Amino acid sequence: MKGRGILAVALALSLSACVTAPAQQASTVPAPAAKPAEPPATMQWLYGSGEAGALGIQAYHAMRDFVLVQALAKRSGQSVVLAEGSTLQAPQFRTCRPDEPLAVILDVDETALLNLGYEYDEAKGRAYDAGIWDRWEKTGAGAVAPVPGAVTALRAIRQAGVTVVFNSNRQAANAAATAAAIEGAGLGPAKHGETLFLKGDVAPGSEKDPRRALVANRYCVVAMAGDQLGDFSDLFNARDLAIPARRAAATGGTFARLWGNGWFLLPNPVYGPGVRGSFDDVFPADKRWSDPAGEK
Amino acid sequence: MKGRGILAVALALSLSACVTAPAQQASTVPAPAAKPAEPPATMQWLYGSGEAGALGIQAYHAMRDFVLVQALAKRSGQSVVLAEGSTLQAPQFRTCRPDEPLAVILDVDETALLNLGYEYDEAKGRAYDAGIWDRWEKTGAGAVAPVPGAVTALRAIRQAGVTVVFNSNRQAANAAATAAAIEGAGLGPAKHGETLFLKGDVAPGSEKDPRRALVANRYCVVAMAGDQLGDFSDLFNARDLAIPARRAAATGGTFARLWGNGWFLLPNPVYGPGVRGSFDDVFPADKRWSDPAGEK
């Protein structure tokens, strides 16, 4: 079935842009874009569809079952955090000590929490803005929802004696508000420096590997969850990694075996490094097709 | 991390619409839209990202493991196809007979196959067109790719003695070309009327329940996979089912338990019933937020 909503959205966006363009040209203060008729297709799907909700449940079911088996076995398995010195071509993992406590590490935004309030505000017709996002971190705790499946899975994981650690690029300065958002959604506890690590903790910058390394020294990390490959390793965010090579790396070799078996992915087509690419990046050159009946 | 590609795409679409509008007004033959600078965000993510590739592998790992356990147990479990008389509020499943052969049912497009050639052609700047899609079914076999994870999972499922049945809304008249696309991608065999059911088979129309019922009479169906809720039950496509109610139904009660445990979802934000909805459909009324600093 191929009925579409995309073109309707594109048309709505097009019309609103055409209408507002003259006003923007006539003034030095950019007018806010008119509210489009509908949210973008990516948000319709992620926040509105039963399909995306089901994907959340499916991922958290798999993570819960995987972690419970690890916890019951109490065996000396391997950490799922890449060991120092790893490369995409040669990933390495350390073996856990037999008596090490177990933990899972997961991202927050669009992994554990759906940022409904923020995305609603952005979908009305503005671009991403770091200042607005900062105010969202500070004041948005009441306008989030848990990703479907997350609350019951994290509860079961904690009941099995496994510590749940969040690793987010929200600002360390907003730790209290972020903990309140997590706990208010039923996903807590989240204690800054113990079970919640944020941008600015351990090292400056948005790299998550230093925080992962700290947690991996304290625990045997049996599972990780995220909506972006950088939630698993910063190697996937290398600047010189082309889009097709990034996809090939994530879906080949050792990493292919990890999806659903220690690494658990949540869907997010709304933002992030997975939402970019030219025609040549996205569509392989040997998979092109044109309508044999030609242009109308 | 909140860097975005959506607005760039929206801007590109907006500009192309503004540029082509006068030409469309001046002629009775609509000019083809200019090729946008990039594919839509939904396609960048689904066809280009490592994240979406990983979700495919994760879903197929879960399906394979679930089916292999069922096949090894050789026990009299329950069919995962809804029994006649089911409703969303009261789903029912029949118990399989002990000696019944096992099968899985899966959709084709964006579940087993990625329609790269067709989507490339559409992304260049046109709307969905049923005639073009029909020609794609007939001639596109060389420009598809398997969903990551599908080839190895289906091979393992067949090796365990479980029959793989495809249930697609491609046209029955194009059965040979669709079987060639499936088999060319390494996902076969697919034999029309036995392991491949298409629109027009069993009953007219795009409802998949009549075809599912036929397969469920021949086999104990231990798993289903699809990218849309209609790949699991036509009840999710009821015309009077509002978007929030559809998401609530799919993620609550009996259905919540099935995701990853008999029902397996593949991501697809590019098209379908999951890609629609107004602001009120997509964003719950109690999860709204506005920047406290106000509009700039």
Side-chain angles (χ1 to χ4, degrees):
Chain A
M1 191 156 53
K2 305 282 294 179
R4 311 284 172 116
I6 296 169
L7 272 294
V9 174
L11 181 62
L13 290 166
S14 301
L15 292 174
S16 64
C18 294
V19 168
T20 55
Q24 290 177 342
Q25 288 166 353
S27 165
T28 55
V29 179
K35 182 177 173 180
E38 293 184 333
T42 54
M43 295 191 195
Q44 290 177 313
W45 184 80
L46 181 59
Y47 302 121
S49 79
E51 283 82 357
L55 275 165
I57 294 175
Q58 182 169 294
Y60 274 107
H61 273 170
M63 183 181 184
R64 177 200 64 189
D65 292 349
F66 184 86
V67 171
L68 295 191
V69 167
Q70 304 286 307
L72 280 171
K74 292 185 188 301
R75 61 183 173 75
S76 175
Q78 283 197 313
S79 168
V80 297
V81 175
L82 286 177
E84 203 178 355
S86 289
T87 64
L88 289 180
Q89 293 71 37
Q92 296 170 16
F93 302 90
R94 76 167 177 86
T95 301
C96 295
R97 297 181 300 276
D99 59 348
E100 227 169 344
L102 305 186
V104 300
I105 302 176
L106 68 160
D107 176 44
V108 174
D109 296 309
E110 275 55 47
T111 295
L113 289 180
L114 297 178
N115 287 290
L116 295 168
Y118 176 85
E119 299 296 349
Y120 170 76
D121 188 61
E122 185 167 302
K124 286 189 295 182
R126 62 167 176 81
Y128 171 71
D129 179 293
I132 298 177
W133 178 262
D134 183 64
R135 293 188 285 279
W136 164 251
E137 289 188 9
K138 289 180 166 70
T139 68
V144 298
V147 169
V151 170
T152 53
L154 296 187
R155 186 185 303 142
I157 287 168
R158 289 191 180 99
Q159 283 177 346
V162 178
T163 300
V164 174
V165 180
F166 297 96
N167 184 4
S168 167
N169 275 334
R170 289 187 177 211
Q171 299 291 336
N174 297 334
T178 291
I182 293 169
E183 294 176 359
L187 298 162
K191 189 168 180 187
H192 191 205
E194 295 185 11
T195 54
L196 174 63
F197 291 90
L198 298 163
K199 190 173 182 176
D201 292 340
V202 185
S206 59
E207 289 76 19
K208 291 186 167 182
D209 280 348
R211 295 172 237 149
R212 270 188 285 266
L214 182 146
V215 178
N217 279 332
R218 293 181 183 175
Y219 299 93
C220 174
V221 178
V222 293
M224 294 197 289
D227 63 312
Q228 300 179 4
L229 297 180
D231 294 323
F232 304 91
S233 168
D234 289 332
L235 293 172
F236 293 111
N237 288 334
R239 281 181 184 277
D240 61 350
L241 186 62
I243 288 172
R246 184 174 177 272
R247 181 170 167 110
T251 57
T254 297
F255 301 119
R257 290 194 289 275
L258 279 167
W259 300 116
N261 293 301
W263 287 12
F264 298 88
L265 207 107
L266 281 297
N268 180 12
V270 173
Y271 62 85
V275 189
R276 59 191 173 112
S278 68
F279 280 88
D280 285 345
D281 289 329
V282 173
F283 295 100
D286 64 342
K287 303 294 181 190
R288 303 289 169 86
W289 179 86
S290 290
D291 178 13
E295 298 281 350
K296 283 183 184 179
Chain B
M1 191 156 49
K2 307 283 292 180
R4 311 283 172 116
I6 296 170
L7 274 294
V9 174
L11 182 61
L13 290 167
S14 303
L15 293 174
S16 65
C18 294
V19 168
T20 55
Q24 289 177 341
Q25 287 165 353
S27 167
T28 54
V29 178
K35 183 177 174 180
E38 293 184 333
T42 54
M43 293 189 196
Q44 290 177 315
W45 184 80
L46 181 60
Y47 302 120
S49 80
E51 284 83 356
L55 275 166
I57 293 175
Q58 181 169 292
Y60 274 107
H61 273 170
M63 183 181 183
R64 176 200 65 190
D65 292 351
F66 183 86
V67 171
L68 295 191
V69 167
Q70 304 285 309
L72 281 170
K74 292 185 189 299
R75 61 182 171 77
S76 174
Q78 282 196 311
S79 169
V80 299
V81 174
L82 287 177
E84 203 178 354
S86 289
T87 64
L88 290 180
Q89 292 71 37
Q92 295 170 17
F93 302 89
R94 76 168 176 85
T95 301
C96 295
R97 296 180 301 275
D99 59 348
E100 230 170 342
L102 305 186
V104 300
I105 302 176
L106 67 160
D107 176 45
V108 174
D109 295 310
E110 274 56 47
T111 295
L113 289 180
L114 297 177
N115 287 290
L116 295 168
Y118 176 85
E119 299 296 348
Y120 171 76
D121 188 61
E122 184 167 304
K124 284 190 294 182
R126 62 165 174 83
Y128 171 71
D129 180 293
I132 298 177
W133 178 261
D134 183 64
R135 292 189 284 278
W136 164 251
E137 288 188 11
K138 289 179 166 71
T139 67
V144 297
V147 170
V151 170
T152 54
L154 295 187
R155 186 185 302 140
I157 286 169
R158 289 191 180 98
Q159 283 177 347
V162 178
T163 300
V164 173
V165 180
F166 297 96
N167 184 4
S168 165
N169 275 333
R170 291 188 177 210
Q171 299 290 335
N174 297 334
T178 291
I182 293 169
E183 294 176 359
L187 299 162
K191 188 167 179 189
H192 190 204
E194 295 185 10
T195 54
L196 174 64
F197 291 89
L198 298 164
K199 189 173 182 177
D201 291 340
V202 184
S206 60
E207 289 75 18
K208 291 185 167 184
D209 280 348
R211 294 172 238 150
R212 271 188 284 267
L214 181 146
V215 178
N217 278 331
R218 294 181 182 174
Y219 299 94
C220 174
V221 178
V222 294
M224 296 196 288
D227 63 311
Q228 300 179 3
L229 298 181
D231 294 324
F232 304 91
S233 169
D234 289 331
L235 293 172
F236 294 110
N237 287 334
R239 282 183 183 275
D240 60 351
L241 187 63
I243 288 172
R246 183 174 177 273
R247 181 169 167 110
T251 59
T254 297
F255 301 119
R257 289 194 290 277
L258 279 168
W259 300 116
N261 293 302
W263 288 12
F264 298 87
L265 207 107
L266 281 297
N268 180 12
V270 174
Y271 63 83
V275 190
R276 59 189 173 117
S278 67
F279 280 88
D280 286 344
D281 289 329
V282 172
F283 295 101
D286 64 341
K287 303 294 180 190
R288 303 287 168 87
W289 179 86
S290 290
D291 178 13
E295 297 280 349
K296 283 184 182 174

